[in-house]
Amino acid sequence: MTMQRRSLPLSGLRVFEAAARLGSFKAAAQELAVTPTAVSHQIRALEAQTGLVLFDRHVRRVSLTEAGAQLYPVLRDGFDAFEAALARLTQQRTRMQVTISATNAFTVKWLVPRMADFRSQHPGIDLQLQASDDVVDLRSAAVDIAIRYGRGPYPGLVAQPLFTDRFAPVANPRLGVASPDDLAGVPLIRFNWKWSHPDNPTWERWFAVAQRSLPRQAGQLRFSDEGHAIQAAVAGHGVALVSLALIAEELEAGHLVQPFGPVIAGHTYHLAMPADRPPSAPVQAVAQWLSMQAAAHEPGRKKA
C-alpha cells in the first residue's frame, strides 16, 4: 500500500531521524525536549503505521534494522535540505540580498565605481554582482536583475532602456593623437563582439561615418574583451574605439582623452527583470537606483 503525502507521519519520522542519528532514544528525547517514553511511543506508532520494525531494542541501546537503515539516510538528507533552504531564505530576508547580472566590462567599469553611492543610499541592501559575458536565464537562475545589451526584444522579461551606448576614439594623451590624420601612424585597438550585427560600433563603421578611408598601414591590437582594450589604451598602446559610458573615470582623471569625433551610437543597455516574478521592495529600490544613475551619467555628446 502506498502512503499518500498528506498522511505521512511527520512527527514520528522526525523522532525516528533523531533516534537513528543519535543511536539512543534517551539522547533523542533530550534533543527534542520530550521524555524517553514519548520517543518510544512515537517510534512504536510509526512502526505500527508503516508495518515495519525500524529498531532492534537492546538492554542499554538500540540499533537500526535493515528497514530502518534504508529509511534513515533518506530522512537525514531530507531534513538537512529543509534546514539549508530555510537558513538560506531567512538570511536573504534578513540581509535583503539583490543580485545583478551584467557583462564583465559593464560590471567592472560602470557598476563597481558606483557601489559607494549605492551603499550610502541603501545600507540595508546587500548588492551582489554576477559578472559574466554569458546570457543568464533569469527564470531559472538566482538573479533578480540583468543588464542586457542589445536591441531586444527579451522574451519572458520586463525590460526598460537605461541608455544608448556611444563610442568614440580615445587614447592616452601622451600618445599625441590630435586629429583623424594621426590614426594612420598608431595601432588601432579592437575587441571581439559577441555577436555579428551591422550596427556594431567597429572601426570600419566609424571610418565610414567619418567619411574617411581605413588606413591600411596602421597596426592593430585585438582583444577578446572590451575591458582589456580599455586598459591597452590607458597604457598607451594605441587608439581604442570604446564605450564612453565605460571610461568615464579614465576621461575624468585624464588617463584617456577623446580628441575628436565623430561619436557613433552603440547598442542600448536595458534593465531586465523576470516577467513572472513580481519584484520585491529591495529589487525595486535597486532598479530605481540603476535608472537614476543611468539618467545622471548618460554618455556625453560633446565631440560630435
Side-chain angles (χ1 to χ4, degrees):
M1 181 180 65
T2 301
M3 185 174 294
Q4 296 182 353
R5 180 175 296 184
R6 64 185 179 185
S7 62
L8 287 174
L10 297 179
S11 178
L13 291 172
R14 178 168 175 258
V15 171
F16 166 78
E17 189 277 336
R21 171 166 41 84
L22 299 172
S24 165
F25 285 4
K26 182 179 180 180
Q30 291 176 342
E31 178 177 290
L32 299 173
V34 297
T35 65
T37 300
V39 169
S40 180
H41 287 167
Q42 286 272 17
I43 297 298
R44 291 193 181 280
L46 177 63
E47 290 176 327
Q49 186 171 354
T50 60
L52 300 171
V53 177
L54 301 174
F55 285 100
D56 286 326
R57 279 77 167 173
H58 308 284
V59 176
R60 297 182 181 275
R61 62 184 180 87
V62 293
S63 61
L64 290 170
T65 63
E66 182 178 350
Q70 293 183 44
L71 178 61
Y72 168 62
V74 177
L75 291 176
R76 177 199 60 203
D77 295 346
F79 283 120
D80 287 346
F82 297 158
E83 182 179 15
L86 289 171
R88 183 172 62 253
L89 292 171
T90 302
Q91 182 185 45
Q92 289 176 353
R93 182 191 63 188
T94 303
R95 298 178 62 185
M96 293 195 299
Q97 296 177 350
V98 177
T99 301
I100 300 176
S101 171
T103 63
N104 289 304
F106 189 87
T107 300
V108 173
K109 306 301 295 182
W110 200 91
L111 284 173
V112 170
R114 292 168 168 78
M115 286 300 95
D117 179 86
F118 178 82
R119 288 196 300 271
S120 68
Q121 294 192 41
H122 302 284
I125 300 177
D126 182 5
L127 194 61
Q128 300 191 38
L129 306 181
Q130 185 180 103
S132 174
D133 290 333
D134 297 327
V135 177
V136 175
D137 185 356
L138 271 69
R139 292 167 295 183
S140 61
V143 174
D144 301 296
I145 296 172
I147 306 300
R148 292 281 195 259
Y149 187 64
R151 297 183 178 271
Y154 302 105
L157 302 179
V158 176
Q160 66 181 63
L162 284 178
F163 59 85
T164 297
D165 215 0
R166 296 169 67 80
F167 285 68
V170 296
N172 187 306
R174 297 194 305 269
L175 208 59
V177 175
S179 75
D181 293 334
D182 296 329
L183 295 177
V186 296
L188 300 181
I189 298 174
R190 298 174 177 264
F191 62 92
N192 296 331
W193 284 88
K194 302 303 180 184
W195 70 91
S196 178
H197 193 283
D199 291 336
N200 284 349
T202 60
W203 274 115
E204 286 76 12
R205 182 176 160 219
W206 184 88
F207 276 101
V209 173
Q211 298 182 341
R212 304 178 69 92
S213 299
L214 182 68
R216 295 182 179 179
Q217 66 273 29
Q220 295 189 19
L221 291 174
R222 183 177 292 274
F223 297 89
S224 61
D225 180 80
E226 186 176 6
H228 298 158
I230 292 171
Q231 293 307 311
V234 170
H237 296 313
V239 181
L241 183 67
V242 294
S243 164
L244 297 179
L246 302 187
I247 60 167
E249 283 195 327
E250 286 79 2
L251 290 172
E252 185 176 355
H255 300 316
L256 290 174
V257 294
Q258 180 201 332
F260 48 79
V263 174
I264 61 176
H267 301 292
T268 299
Y269 285 101
H270 293 83
L271 189 159
M273 294 183 287
D276 60 351
R277 192 167 72 219
S280 64
V283 171
Q284 293 181 43
V286 173
Q288 183 179 18
W289 175 81
L290 287 168
S291 298
M292 294 177 63
Q293 288 291 314
H297 301 91
E298 189 172 359
R301 296 174 171 83
K302 64 178 182 177
K303 298 289 186 179

